[in-house]
Amino acid sequence: MEKYYQLKRRQFIKLSSLALAGSISTSCSQSSSTFSSSQSAESIDKLDKVKLLLSWKAEAEYGGFYQAVAKGIYRQYGLDVTIQPGSPQTNGTQLLMGGVVDFIIGGGLNAIKAVEQGIPKITVASIFQKEIQVLLTHPGVGNDSFEDLKGKPIYLSIGVDYWPIIKAKYGLSDDQKRPYNFNVSPFLLDKNSAQQGLLTSEPYTIEKEGGFKPNILLLADAVYNPYSFTIETTKKLVETNPDLVQRFVDGSIKGWYSYLENPQPANELIKKDNPEMTEDLMDYGLNQLKAYEVIMSGDAKTLGIGAMNNERWETLFKDLVSVGIVDAKTNYKQAYTLRFVNKGMDYYKNS
């Protein structure tokens, strides 16, 4: 296993060329050159170059990172950050471990699974305090809670991570599952069905295409609330260059505070990286994050954006063990560190 993760950077680039094709070209140039007109070549060379890989295309869910680029916040922390949008074919963990990127956007379940598999990556901050995965139902037909979904068709994509947990808690069964291919039409045609989605995306699409607001069953309010939209890096980087990790975490968090106040600078960069993105959808996504207190809830209210605690990680681990997703012998505490977060709101706003 150790030998695998010591493959040369060139080998990983070759293995991952198909996954990265089409996702690097735009962001590399614009993210690194946004402020070149006001920065001399000499001063730019003094910045530490950092690459952040997103888990999907550019959208409001990554707004704080783009804001930190757009407002020069990363540069204030001595960083020249390139943001690379992801795709379904992108293996973020592989690219991280191969040294192709320095940070990736992750999630709690995957982080614990990585420990179980012996992958030396680690979570250093959690931007979202609430999981934004949801189940959506039609209004007015009695499917208003998870308990109401027994026996009802549920459109889910392959390998959706929360299914074993909600299935066990609410007495659901695998024969209720229907394939979800990121097309809302089957759901719109069957008023008695439910479908998966993200709080910031599918409800908007359903309202536009179906002409109604769906019921939103937030998984975070039920039984599944892992840390999500986390910042992950390698354990090696944490051990050898903790100062760079701290500066990236601080700059990202400060970018999120700025984005929540005025998203327009970041939105301009998001549209460049994702031309299909509209102002309306970005506004919807940000408003949902605010309305459901996805970022500013729990520990984040006092300890600052990015906050994490040991109890939440332990709860997730026990939930995963209870349904057989991870082995009980897994040392889940190796999946994260609190070293770079929980410094208090004033620390991030005044730094």
Side-chain angles (χ1 to χ4, degrees), residues 217-245:
L217 306 182
L218 193 67
L219 289 167
D221 291 338
V223 68
Y224 185 73
N225 192 27
Y227 287 118
S228 64
F229 283 73
T230 59
I231 300 174
E232 296 182 343
T233 189
T234 62
K235 291 186 176 181
K236 180 179 179 180
L237 187 61
V238 166
E239 294 166 358
T240 61
N241 200 346
D243 174 69
L244 184 143
V245 176

Side-chain angles (χ1 to χ4, degrees), residues 113-166:
K113 288 289 291 182
V115 173
E116 184 179 53
Q117 296 164 7
I119 300 173
K121 68 175 183 176
I122 190 165
T123 301
V124 295
S126 179
I127 301 302
F128 289 2
Q129 293 297 310
K130 291 184 179 180
E131 171 61 66
I132 62 170
Q133 294 188 84
V134 299
L135 290 183
L136 303 168
T137 65
H138 288 255
V141 298
N143 294 333
D144 302 323
S145 69
F146 288 96
E147 290 87 349
D148 296 329
L149 297 183
K150 287 184 180 180
K152 312 294 174 61
I154 305 176
Y155 291 94
L156 298 168
S157 58
I158 296 175
V160 64
D161 54 11
Y162 54 79
W163 175 247
I165 296 175
I166 64 171

Side-chain angles (χ1 to χ4, degrees), residues 24 38 47 49 56 83 104 112 125 191 199 203 211 221 258 261 286-287 294 342 346:
I24 290 183
S38 60
L47 300 174
K49 296 184 183 299
W56 192 245
I83 298 176
I104 63 174
I112 293 176
K191 291 186 176 182
L199 175 67
D221 291 338
S258 177
E261 293 176 358
L286 180 56
N287 287 336
V294 171
N342 300 349
D346 289 341

Side-chain angles (χ1 to χ4, degrees), residues 65 76 150 210 244 248 268:
F65 302 108
Q76 295 170 11
K150 287 184 180 180
L244 184 143
F248 181 77
E268 293 302 317

